[in-house]
Amino acid sequence: MTTLRAFTCDDLFKFNNINLDPLTETYGIPFYLQYLAHWPEYFIVAEAPGGELMGYIMGKAEGSVAREEWHGHVTALSVAPEFRRLGLAAKLMEMLEEISERKGGFFVDLFVRVSNQVAVNMYKQLGYSVYRTVIEYYSASNGEPDEDAYDMRKALSRDTERKSIIPIPHPVRPEDIE
Amino acid sequence: MAARGHVQDPNDRRLRPIYDYLDNGNNKMAIQQADKLLKKHKDLHCAKVLKAIGLQRTGKQDEAFSLAQEVATLEPTDDNSLQALTILYREMHHPELVTKLYEAAVKKVPLSEEYHSHLFMAYARVGEYKKMQQAGMALYKIVPKNPYYFWSVMSLVMQAISAQDEKLAQTMFLPLAERMVEKMVKEEKIEAEAEVQLYFMILERLGKCVEALDVVRGPLGEKLTSELRSRENKCMMMYQRLQLWPECNALSYKLLLKNPDDWQFYLSYFDSLFHLMDKSWSQPEEGEHCVEGPVQTTVTEAVKFVVDRMEEQDKKESRPLRGPYLACLELIHRLRQRGCPDEKELGDPLELMVQFFGKFGDKPCCITDLKIYLHLLPPEQRSQFKKRLGELVPLGEAGEDGFGFPGDTKALQRHLCVCQLSRALGLQHALDTEGKLRLITELKAHYHHGLQFGKSCLKTELQFSDMYCLMAAHVYVDLWTETGDENMLWQCLGVLEEGLSFSPSNAQFKLLLLLLFCRLGAFQPVVDLYSSLDAKHVQHDTIGYLLTRYAGSLGQFAAASQSCNFSLRFFHSNQKDTSEYIIQAYKYGAFEKIPEFIAFRTRLNQSLHFAQVRTERMLLDLYTEADVTLSLEESVKAMGVCPEEDDIPWDNMRDNRDLTVLVSWDPKDRELTEEHRRLSLEEESVWLKVRSLTLRLLASLALLGHAPSPRNSDKTNENGISAKSSTLQTLLSQLDQTLETAAQITEKQTQYPFLGPPSSRLASALSSGSCHCQASLQVSSRGITSGSFLFPHADLCPSLPSSLSPLRPEMLSRCKGEVLEMKDGRLTTRPSLLETLVFFVETVCVVLWVASYSASVLRPLKSSLQKKKKKKKDSSSAMPVVLCGFQEWTGSLQGVVTQALDHVKGQEASLTALKLAALTLEEGYSQTQEECGFTRAAMDKVQSSYLGSLQELGDLLRKRADSLKSLKI
């Protein structure tokens, strides 16, 4: 029981129940506006019948088509504590994957904190696998390196041989990701 | 800006190091390097601009500006200079100058696609829609690319949206935009999805819904592919606008068959169904019902539809969806509203809700779902409902305390949900004190028991049983507010602090603690709590009020100033930030987002909180610093406050506060209503008006002081003063009116839900007497200015002390009393004393500024009189009454301030002497030893926060006492 619709600027005033979570980053306004201006279709919010926001997904399409790196990217996915265990994150991921399919992407990828086991397991259940580890991808608010990230991927139908998800054995540094 | 296209140009190579320095924030080196380069290459304009950027970034705005203008007047056409100037002007908040720059550039290089496009964007940044329209067309003529054409079309739409005259929008701008698109359609030149979106937008705004539908359903609509369900959504929107209920119904039906969990379509399905019934719409005998397929027009069909959906879920092996079951309750609710007896066919709401609980009771959202439909239960069924739900909760054998506990997290969630529902049904509120205390014991027992399930939880995760703890806190608050027993509050703080120790990232614990500490007048612990919430950016606008409402009013001036700064930094970056993304939206063809971004920017600019922090920050600066480091006049000038100017959008104020950020399971009649929201905004606005008028009055007082003394003034000067004095008069009468409104508002004594908006400072300000005292002071400053006192018999003399009199005996006495006290083994607080003391101190500041202004006027008078006296050797005429009056006044002022300081010192001493450790907390029945420990910690925090407030207030009073000494005339 969820209304799924495009995320709008006004939702920024209502998303505290989602964003007061310690693992959900509240970005500066430019960040959200950039996504809304460039990839509005990739920014979807779920709303409960009472009007509460349940969760949202924010993503984009990027990469070179010629090098078969054109793909959908999950920038943020978060569900408010009281709306967890409903499969909402899976539903939102499914939508992002469908949009990426339509755009002819080869795969969908995302970064997740190595320590965020709950999320890592969920993505694995949704068919994602660890493509590589990115060393010190996350930094603390003081700018100090904080934690490594997994770069997780799931191949889309265009990547028939599933080449895009063959894991890279050695970890990479953030400056080496494209 | 380091990334540049063509590197071949030798100038690029020369400029490169400067760019690098600027990019790395090394502005000094950038300036040096630019100077070096300019010695060799005098005409390298770009180096000058880059130097200007360096200057601007090191705070030398004037120098930067004149350097930039040197280049700009040359009307440069090299890319480097143009781009650098664009960056500079944007940083200087002069985006309008960029338009001039490119206007000149396209005149010189009329065929440059790049410069024309920059010109378009420059206009977009400042919202010059008409010029954008022309620039877009000019571009299209040079390079016939579709996006340019549609930029121009969109600029017409923007002219329509921003037109004051709706008629102009409907008869000129939009039709023109429509014709421009139609032309492209006819020539079959439509290429992109964005172009179809824009076409749709135009038709929709014109109210041409039929045409809009044709576009969406026709071949052009096939381009709408990015967004999921884009065509369906747009059709639905138009069906609703056109009241095409058959289509609306059939489409909803279809979409629900595909996704029986999408709530919006249940709503449109039911809406359309009842509209059709009301219109007695009948299906055509033959053929399709409508373009969208079969239409349902009877309650029977709807009931069957919903029942079928539920059965579908029942049969499913995977996790069932909640939608159909809730749709069933929604349908009952709607049928009941219509007085339709058919609701019985769907079943008894009680049974249905019990069934729902059986299926989804172990989901945390079960309470949120069912809460909406609890009104379907008659009051007499409430206890029965709770009992029935209880039967579905597997609990272990009851122990000694009589409580049975869940064996796993699913059972826990179910049990918790029953507690939440019984609270929402008002069953908890109906309990007597004894019953509530027992409930608290039960909730705490469940909380502690449930912690075992979360032993392996990470710090970032919540404990499964956290919500028991929160609910126990809510019941404590109930008891506190009903009985006034402060012990309940202390225990409440204890239980929440304990909860936070097990679940350090629980935002709800933090928010409630924060609110309670504020209510207790203890701001210090709030600072850490708020910062651990990691609230950022837009959150400063939505929940920043939790901080700013209390910091200053509790005398924590440093913290108050910092809290305002957090918010102000966010608001100030907004204007520049949003403009850039409006431009991006043009580039990417996200036309629908453009009006949205503009509305968003306006919403932030008109934010109540923005106006509040803007005003409070300046008042704080004045109260704490003016006449201490800088004079009042210098302070006012530095802030740029102009008494004549009112920059607050009173008629369009937006309340962006998130007033439901604290979770509540209270019954409907205790929840926050729209009326509460309205009243809270009204109250806050009036308080803001009082504050903003106070600020402007202080500014006008400061500028009065700037005027030459009346004695020496010629005619023009006198006019200058009388103009200022009339501003003062206007502001004073506005303040009078506002205070009248304020009195009416406080008479209403609006009570908001505890977890809703805090009351404004209005009521305590009025009862402290500070507003009226400050107003009358300002009146007397006006009296001084009018010059009437120049005659020795003028009545200023009595008026000065009398305007001060409210301050003297009453205001200070209202502050007296123990803010924290141990009595009969209990700890009691009186935080209102702190608030009143703050108002008193603020008033002392105003008194001193008025006094200091009076002194500046009286000093020359006195010296002139002395001269005359010497000449005439007239021993009979003594000092004029006004001068003795003034001295008497400052003398008494000295007395009041000394008294106040003594009071603060006394409070500090008794607070320090208070040994909270001596307090015995009842362990055992009501609190465990650990909880007592947390309660004690909370008490210590309150005590130390009070001390902190008193110290800050004492420091400020001492500073003011010092400045009193300089008031001798």
Side-chain angles (χ1 to χ4, degrees):
Chain A
M1 179 181 80
T2 302
T3 295
L4 294 162
R5 58 170 177 78
F7 191 100
T8 67
C9 289
D10 279 341
D11 292 318
L12 293 170
F13 296 97
K14 304 199 296 182
F15 70 3
N16 284 323
N17 63 330
I18 305 171
N19 274 38
L20 285 173
D21 171 273
L23 291 180
T24 304
E25 179 72 16
T26 299
Y27 299 100
I29 297 299
F31 196 70
Y32 296 109
L33 296 193
Q34 183 197 347
Y35 275 80
L36 288 171
H38 201 156
W39 307 278
E41 66 280 2
Y42 265 124
F43 205 162
I44 303 165
V45 64
E47 193 178 62
E52 303 93 350
L53 299 190
M54 304 167 76
Y56 59 82
I57 195 165
M58 178 169 139
K60 60 180 169 182
E62 60 184 5
S64 138
V65 180
R67 286 192 287 175
E68 302 195 359
E69 279 165 359
W70 173 246
H71 69 281
H73 174 77
V74 184
T75 303
L77 169 63
S78 188
V79 175
E82 61 167 321
F83 298 106
R84 291 186 188 156
R85 287 164 238 225
L86 295 171
L88 183 59
K91 176 81 195 159
L92 291 167
M93 286 294 287
E94 187 189 309
M95 294 172 83
L96 184 133
E97 286 161 21
E98 196 188 327
I99 297 168
S100 307
E101 282 280 358
R102 287 192 195 184
K103 289 186 187 291
F106 291 91
F107 59 92
V108 170
D109 76 348
L110 56 91
F111 294 99
V112 59
R113 279 176 189 272
V114 172
S115 68
N116 193 351
Q117 269 309 312
V118 183
V120 172
N121 288 336
M122 183 198 74
Y123 290 127
K124 281 187 176 161
Q125 274 191 350
L126 297 177
Y128 288 75
S129 53
V130 175
Y131 170 68
R132 58 187 168 184
T133 304
V134 188
I135 296 170
E136 291 170 352
Y137 178 78
Y138 293 100
S139 47
S141 44
N142 59 10
E144 290 290 304
D146 184 23
E147 203 182 337
D148 296 351
Y150 287 137
D151 178 356
M152 298 184 80
R153 288 189 176 184
K154 179 179 182 175
L156 295 176
S157 58
R158 187 165 177 188
D159 181 12
T160 43
E161 292 163 45
R162 301 160 68 79
K163 281 192 289 189
S164 62
I165 60 162
I166 300 168
I168 291 183
H170 306 294
V172 295
R173 300 212 50 95
E175 53 271 25
D176 301 328
I177 345 174
E178 283 159 33
Chain B
M1 87 187 206
R4 320 201 54 78
H6 23 86
V7 211
Q8 285 81 6
D9 186 349
N11 279 342
D12 274 2
R13 189 175 40 79
R14 290 181 190 120
L15 294 168
R16 167 73 32 206
I18 315 181
Y19 283 117
D20 289 341
Y21 283 129
L22 286 175
D23 282 347
N24 298 327
N26 198 342
N27 297 314
K28 274 194 186 149
M29 283 303 289
I31 297 170
Q32 280 181 21
Q33 187 69 29
D35 280 334
K36 242 201 229 163
L37 196 57
L38 282 167
K39 267 185 198 158
K40 279 194 210 158
H41 305 274
K42 271 189 185 159
D43 298 328
L44 195 46
H45 305 311
C46 182
K48 268 191 197 172
V49 187
L50 295 180
K51 182 183 170 186
I53 293 179
L55 289 168
Q56 153 80 16
R57 290 181 184 172
T58 42
K60 291 171 187 152
Q61 275 82 1
D62 294 341
E63 239 178 288
F65 188 73
S66 54
L67 201 55
Q69 290 315 89
E70 268 179 43
V71 180
T73 43
L74 298 172
E75 305 190 334
T77 53
D78 68 298
D79 203 28
N80 285 330
S81 302
L82 287 169
Q83 288 207 21
L85 276 168
T86 305
I87 290 169
L88 178 64
Y89 286 146
R90 257 158 53 191
E91 285 182 17
M92 291 181 139
H93 296 277
H94 280 302
E96 72 285 354
L97 294 177
V98 182
T99 61
K100 301 273 169 294
L101 210 57
Y102 281 102
E103 276 169 5
V106 297
K107 251 184 216 153
K108 286 189 177 172
V109 195
L111 290 179
S112 163
E113 177 181 7
E114 198 185 342
Y115 293 166
H116 274 283
S117 133
H118 281 302
L119 180 60
F120 178 87
M121 295 306 173
Y123 288 139
R125 207 170 279 128
V126 291
E128 288 253 26
Y129 304 126
K130 183 151 180 65
K131 288 187 176 163
M132 284 162 74
Q133 181 200 338
Q134 293 157 351
M137 276 324 278
L139 249 175
Y140 185 68
K141 273 178 196 148
I142 301 168
V143 196
K145 292 184 188 165
N146 266 19
Y148 297 150
Y149 186 87
F150 284 90
W151 286 0
S152 186
V153 178
M154 184 61 202
S155 309
L156 272 166
V157 176
M158 287 314 298
Q159 288 178 67
I161 290 175
S162 62
Q164 297 290 321
D165 183 1
E166 177 62 20
K167 221 176 134 190
L168 210 59
Q170 289 294 330
T171 57
M172 195 170 104
F173 298 127
L174 289 170
L176 189 55
E178 185 194 10
R179 279 200 300 280
M180 280 181 73
V181 183
E182 275 172 356
K183 183 169 174 281
M184 295 296 266
V185 175
K186 268 183 211 139
E187 294 170 13
E188 296 190 350
K189 281 188 185 160
I190 298 281
E191 288 166 4
E193 178 173 8
E195 295 157 18
V196 183
Q197 297 255 24
L198 181 54
Y199 192 17
F200 178 81
M201 230 173 111
I202 295 165
L203 293 171
E204 188 209 331
R205 286 191 180 264
L206 273 170
K208 292 191 166 180
C209 299
V210 180
E211 290 83 345
L213 263 176
D214 289 343
V215 169
V216 179
R217 292 198 290 220
L220 284 178
E222 281 165 26
K223 291 195 187 294
L224 300 170
T225 53
S226 287
E227 200 187 323
L228 296 179
R229 264 190 352 231
S230 173
R231 287 174 96 177
E232 285 96 334
N233 286 343
K234 288 192 163 60
C235 284
M236 186 70 89
M237 213 166 107
M238 290 304 104
Y239 294 150
Q240 283 167 346
R241 285 266 302 267
L242 286 166
Q243 308 200 337
L244 287 175
W245 304 122
E247 284 79 357
C248 183
N249 182 272
L251 181 58
S252 308
Y253 178 83
K254 270 201 301 199
L255 289 169
L256 284 171
L257 286 183
K258 254 194 253 171
N259 179 6
D261 207 35
D262 207 330
W263 190 243
Q264 57 195 321
F265 300 123
Y266 281 109
L267 301 179
S268 55
Y269 173 75
F270 293 140
D271 285 342
S272 57
L273 175 88
F274 293 123
H275 279 297
L276 288 167
M277 282 169 60
D278 292 341
K279 295 208 156 95
S280 345
W281 188 83
S282 60
Q283 301 172 352
E285 308 250 321
E286 271 173 60
E288 283 221 38
H289 294 176
C290 72
V291 286
E292 296 287 357
V295 180
Q296 305 207 314
T297 51
T298 63
V299 172
T300 325
E301 281 171 305
V303 168
K304 183 169 182 314
F305 176 65
V306 170
V307 171
D308 285 351
R309 299 286 78 67
M310 288 196 285
E311 281 175 2
E312 211 173 77
Q313 295 300 317
D314 290 342
K315 282 185 213 142
K316 242 174 55 173
E317 293 203 352
S318 57
R319 138 162 74 196
L321 299 170
R322 294 130 64 229
Y325 303 97
L326 282 157
C328 178
L329 292 167
E330 174 71 20
L331 183 55
I332 294 180
H333 160 64
R334 294 196 177 209
L335 291 170
R336 202 173 273 191
Q337 267 184 334
R338 295 170 59 89
C340 173
D342 294 333
E343 66 155 274
K344 297 208 172 48
E345 289 176 40
L346 287 158
D348 179 8
L350 185 138
E351 292 302 328
L352 288 165
M353 282 197 256
V354 171
Q355 271 175 34
F356 186 88
F357 179 80
K359 283 191 168 41
F360 304 104
D362 57 358
K363 308 283 182 202
C365 70
C366 188
I367 170 69
T368 324
D369 288 342
L370 286 182
K371 208 168 124 179
I372 316 173
Y373 297 108
L374 287 178
H375 65 275
L376 296 175
L377 294 176
E380 63 276 12
Q381 272 190 356
R382 286 176 190 167
S383 304
Q384 192 202 340
F385 177 59
K386 189 191 165 190
K387 207 173 136 240
R388 289 283 308 280
L389 296 183
E391 289 163 8
L392 294 171
V393 183
L395 294 181
E397 283 290 308
E400 272 174 44
D401 49 8
F403 307 134
F405 296 105
D408 58 25
T409 53
K410 286 198 166 181
L412 179 150
Q413 192 57 50
R414 279 182 187 276
H415 180 262
L416 176 63
C417 183
V418 178
C419 298
Q420 290 165 329
L421 282 166
S422 72
R423 185 163 179 84
L425 285 165
L427 299 176
Q428 293 187 354
H429 292 89
L431 295 171
D432 58 10
T433 304
E434 209 37 51
K436 279 184 182 131
L437 284 171
R438 190 175 151 72
L439 173 64
I440 289 173
T441 313
E442 185 184 349
L443 291 169
K444 286 202 286 199
H446 274 276
Y447 170 60
H448 288 123
H449 179 267
L451 287 175
Q452 61 179 296
F453 302 120
K455 281 202 178 120
S456 60
C457 278
L458 300 171
K459 267 189 173 173
T460 47
E461 288 175 80
L462 304 179
Q463 285 289 331
F464 293 95
S465 61
D466 271 356
M467 291 297 134
Y468 284 117
C469 178
L470 189 66
M471 192 181 293
H474 285 176
V475 184
Y476 271 131
V477 170
D478 294 342
L479 280 170
W480 174 49
T481 46
E482 283 160 23
T483 65
D485 180 356
E486 252 183 76
N487 261 350
M488 296 297 105
L489 186 57
W490 295 117
Q491 292 189 19
C492 180
L493 289 172
V495 75
L496 285 168
E497 291 276 14
E498 186 189 12
L500 203 54
S501 75
F502 288 111
S503 193
S505 55
N506 189 315
Q508 288 298 328
F509 289 166
K510 292 175 192 173
L511 287 166
L512 186 53
L513 273 171
L514 194 152
L515 186 70
L516 292 171
F517 277 122
C518 282
R519 292 286 177 107
L520 271 171
F523 194 76
Q524 266 173 11
V526 170
V527 177
D528 285 341
L529 282 166
Y530 189 85
S531 85
S532 77
L533 282 172
D534 203 18
K536 285 187 259 184
H537 311 296
V538 69
Q539 288 174 320
H540 289 307
D541 193 18
T542 54
I543 58 171
Y545 71 93
L546 292 169
L547 273 191
T548 50
R549 158 65 183 83
Y550 289 101
S553 69
L554 294 170
Q556 305 264 344
F557 299 122
S561 193
Q562 206 188 14
S563 327
C564 289
N565 285 348
F566 287 149
S567 293
L568 283 173
R569 225 172 289 149
F570 163 70
F571 286 113
H572 284 141
S573 62
N574 161 48
Q575 188 75 28
K576 202 175 110 210
D577 288 348
T578 36
S579 306
E580 289 318 302
Y581 294 95
I582 291 168
I583 288 176
Q584 288 214 7
Y586 279 102
K587 282 191 186 154
Y588 299 120
F591 296 122
E592 284 176 340
K593 291 291 165 192
I594 293 166
E596 186 182 317
F597 287 178
I598 289 170
F600 175 67
R601 178 170 66 189
T602 311
R603 182 168 176 181
L604 287 175
N605 283 338
Q606 296 178 338
S607 160
L608 164 74
H609 183 65
F610 183 23
Q612 281 173 329
V613 288
R614 218 159 60 215
T615 311
E616 287 299 328
R617 174 65 223 262
M618 289 192 272
L619 278 173
L620 266 169
D621 278 354
L622 291 184
Y623 289 137
T624 56
E625 295 298 334
D627 264 358
V628 180
T629 47
L630 288 176
S631 73
L632 179 65
E633 187 194 328
E634 285 163 329
S635 304
V636 164
K637 283 193 171 158
M639 290 174 191
V641 189
C642 172
E644 288 84 14
E645 263 171 42
D646 186 0
D647 64 348
I648 298 174
W650 297 107
D651 299 327
N652 301 301
M653 198 94 79
R654 296 295 298 264
D655 189 352
N656 297 334
R657 294 175 299 166
D658 182 350
L659 298 177
T660 52
V661 68
L662 283 112
V663 161
S664 155
W665 305 287
D666 282 352
K668 213 166 174 55
D669 57 344
R670 287 170 186 265
E671 277 198 323
L672 187 74
T673 61
E674 281 309 309
E675 181 66 1
H676 285 135
R677 288 177 189 273
R678 193 187 64 74
L679 288 168
S680 171
L681 174 60
E682 181 186 44
E683 191 184 318
E684 291 292 350
S685 304
V686 171
W687 173 238
L688 175 60
K689 191 144 212 171
V690 172
R691 298 296 271 182
S692 135
L693 285 168
T694 306
L695 179 66
R696 291 166 64 197
L697 275 163
L698 289 175
S700 73
L701 174 69
L703 300 175
L704 278 179
H706 179 65
S709 70
R711 199 184 63 94
N712 297 325
S713 62
D714 56 21
K715 281 274 185 237
T716 47
N717 270 340
E718 266 169 18
N719 285 342
I721 287 170
S722 68
K724 279 175 186 156
S725 151
S726 92
T727 307
L728 196 64
Q729 180 57 45
T730 321
L731 291 174
L732 274 171
S733 69
Q734 281 185 39
L735 183 60
D736 269 347
Q737 279 170 19
T738 313
L739 288 176
E740 257 173 54
T741 320
Q744 287 162 9
I745 286 177
T746 47
E747 256 172 45
K748 285 189 224 158
Q749 293 191 322
T750 309
Q751 292 288 322
Y752 303 104
F754 190 84
L755 302 172
S759 301
S760 73
R761 293 173 72 189
L762 202 53
S764 50
L766 289 187
S767 70
S768 76
S770 79
C771 294
H772 290 96
C773 179
Q774 293 185 24
S776 63
L777 275 164
Q778 295 276 3
V779 171
S780 55
S781 71
R782 196 183 162 266
I784 299 167
T785 323
S786 68
S788 55
F789 66 89
L790 284 178
F791 306 98
H793 56 268
D795 60 352
L796 175 76
C797 185
S799 90
L800 275 181
S802 79
S803 62
L804 189 61
S805 62
L807 177 71
R808 212 164 15 183
E810 290 149 43
M811 277 197 71
L812 186 58
S813 68
R814 285 195 193 106
C815 306
K816 295 214 169 137
E818 297 294 325
V819 62
L820 189 68
E821 216 175 358
M822 256 190 325
K823 239 193 224 164
D824 312 325
R826 282 168 174 255
L827 194 62
T828 53
T829 59
R830 285 175 67 193
S832 64
L833 289 175
L834 270 183
E835 282 205 62
T836 317
L837 189 58
V838 171
F839 283 126
F840 174 81
V841 174
E842 286 182 1
T843 311
V844 167
C845 295
V846 179
V847 172
L848 283 172
W849 291 322
V850 173
S852 145
Y853 169 67
S854 313
S856 73
V857 178
L858 293 177
R859 258 181 226 124
L861 172 74
K862 189 182 170 191
S863 55
S864 82
L865 283 173
Q866 277 168 343
K867 275 183 208 157
K868 276 185 199 162
K869 220 158 70 179
K870 273 183 194 162
K871 274 186 198 162
K872 289 190 181 174
K873 305 217 167 183
D874 181 1
S875 56
S876 66
S877 77
M879 289 279 274
V881 199
V882 61
L883 295 179
C884 341
F886 182 76
Q887 270 151 4
E888 204 177 292
W889 186 40
T890 47
S892 69
L893 202 51
Q894 187 86 56
V896 183
V897 175
T898 313
Q899 264 184 53
L901 267 170
D902 288 344
H903 167 66
V904 172
K905 257 186 243 158
Q907 280 284 299
E908 278 182 55
S910 62
L911 256 178
T912 319
L914 208 59
K915 295 283 172 273
L916 295 186
L919 202 68
T920 40
L921 302 179
E922 293 168 48
E923 286 176 20
Y925 173 67
S926 59
Q927 273 191 306
T928 63
Q929 205 187 342
E930 287 82 28
E931 285 173 63
C932 285
F934 284 110
T935 296
R936 277 188 193 285
M939 288 174 164
D940 289 339
K941 284 182 189 169
V942 171
Q943 183 186 25
S944 115
S945 177
Y946 285 171
L947 259 175
S949 295
L950 285 170
Q951 277 158 3
E952 278 205 51
L953 284 163
D955 286 347
L956 183 52
L957 271 175
R958 267 184 291 276
K959 280 188 206 163
R960 294 299 169 202
D962 286 345
S963 64
L964 243 176
K965 287 174 196 150
S966 63
L967 281 184
K968 298 258 160 50
I969 51 169

